[in-house]
Amino acid sequence: MLNFDKVGGLISAIAQDADTGEVLMIAWMNREAFDETVRTNRAVYFSRSRNKLWRKGEESGNVQEVKGIFIDCDADAVLLKVKQIGGAACHEGYKSCFFRELTGDDLKVIGERVFDPKAVYGK
Amino acid sequence: MLNFDKVGGLISAIAQDADTGEVLMIAWMNREAFDETVRTNRAVYFSRSRNKLWRKGEESGNVQEVKGIFIDCDADAVLLKVKQIGGAACHEGYKSCFFRELTGDDLKVIGERVFDPKAVYGK
């Protein structure tokens, strides 16, 4: 059903707010992450930097409840429609990780902070 | 501004319908593709299978006019808000490449075909 061979056992996973359509983040999934996501209806990714499963929200509590899973034509990417608990998907405290817009040669912050990362992660 | 070092000179690029919020597709960009996208306001990707720039719509005419470019927190992914000329982003003729939904153990086609790929690509 999915092709995990293109990027070393990984596929791309996009999370989109199921209600508003806002694109929240993009991450990686290996087969195990995908299977657990399907089984639990909570988004599970694979962290390349930590080289392990990343159960989104396991630290912050901001889990993503999965409302729908869509597969692309090449079967190497999935789109999750999710309910983002806590209101913010980004570890920097913004609703979406795409909180900066390219404006001319500059990046302009267009997102609003939902939480203070220092308070949530204690760092 | 962007980190092209994580996946062999590439970043992920998501295209989203600027009006409806529908996620249309995901593809790769190298630095050249990104720069040309910014310069021309048309989506240009990098095709890994063909190993060259992929000016979206160069064959089908279904170009993507770029309305906004957003960068994620890790600076390794961009979100394009686009106007999809021709109404379909997917080479299979669907509006979105994510035209199949996981339903139980099956994939169900939930998208509607906008064009017949055979007629557009002559194959």
Side-chain angles (χ1 to χ4, degrees):
Chain A
M1 183 184 291
L2 284 163
N3 182 350
F4 287 94
D5 296 334
K6 290 190 182 174
V7 186
L10 303 174
I11 58 172
S12 300
I14 302 163
Q16 180 182 30
D17 186 296
D19 291 325
T20 67
E22 186 170 4
V23 173
L24 299 176
M25 56 178 286
I26 179 170
W28 301 100
M29 283 185 178
N30 62 2
R31 191 181 298 276
E32 191 183 353
F34 178 76
D35 288 347
E36 186 171 319
T37 298
V38 171
R39 200 170 64 243
T40 63
N41 280 316
R42 284 199 177 176
V44 179
Y45 303 105
F46 182 81
S47 168
R48 293 177 85 210
S49 58
R50 287 176 285 169
N51 196 39
K52 64 174 189 175
L53 286 190
W54 168 31
R55 293 176 179 89
K56 174 69 181 165
E58 64 188 335
E59 192 178 355
S60 65
N62 294 336
V63 300
Q64 293 175 337
E65 296 177 357
V66 176
K67 303 301 183 185
I69 301 177
F70 303 83
I71 313 282
D72 81 340
C73 47
D74 293 335
D76 61 358
V78 300
L79 172 65
L80 306 179
K81 295 203 180 179
V82 304
K83 178 177 177 181
Q84 175 64 63
I85 303 301
C90 183
H91 71 290
E92 295 197 28
Y94 295 92
K95 180 172 184 191
S96 165
C97 292
F98 295 93
F99 61 83
R100 297 175 298 171
E101 182 169 13
L102 184 66
T103 309
D105 291 334
D106 295 322
L107 287 179
K108 183 180 170 188
V109 172
I110 49 92
E112 274 186 46
R113 271 223 159 103
V114 175
F115 67 76
D116 175 359
K118 285 199 192 81
V120 169
Y121 297 103
K123 56 191 172 190
Chain B
M1 183 184 292
L2 285 163
N3 182 350
F4 287 93
D5 296 335
K6 289 190 184 173
V7 186
L10 302 174
I11 58 172
S12 300
I14 302 162
Q16 181 183 31
D17 187 296
D19 290 327
T20 67
E22 186 170 3
V23 173
L24 300 175
M25 56 180 285
I26 179 170
W28 302 98
M29 282 185 178
N30 62 1
R31 189 181 299 274
E32 192 183 351
F34 178 76
D35 288 347
E36 187 171 317
T37 298
V38 172
R39 201 172 60 244
T40 64
N41 279 316
R42 285 198 176 177
V44 178
Y45 303 106
F46 182 81
S47 168
R48 293 176 85 211
S49 57
R50 288 178 284 169
N51 196 38
K52 64 173 189 176
L53 286 190
W54 169 28
R55 293 176 178 90
K56 173 71 180 161
E58 62 189 338
E59 193 178 354
S60 65
N62 293 337
V63 300
Q64 293 174 336
E65 295 176 359
V66 176
K67 304 300 184 185
I69 300 176
F70 302 83
I71 313 284
D72 83 339
C73 48
D74 292 335
D76 61 357
V78 299
L79 172 66
L80 305 180
K81 298 205 177 178
V82 304
K83 178 178 179 182
Q84 175 64 63
I85 303 301
C90 183
H91 71 290
E92 295 197 26
Y94 294 92
K95 180 172 183 191
S96 165
C97 292
F98 295 93
F99 60 84
R100 297 176 298 171
E101 181 168 13
L102 185 66
T103 311
D105 290 334
D106 296 322
L107 286 179
K108 182 180 171 190
V109 172
I110 48 91
E112 274 185 44
R113 270 224 158 100
V114 176
F115 68 76
D116 175 1
K118 286 200 191 78
V120 169
Y121 296 104
K123 56 189 173 189

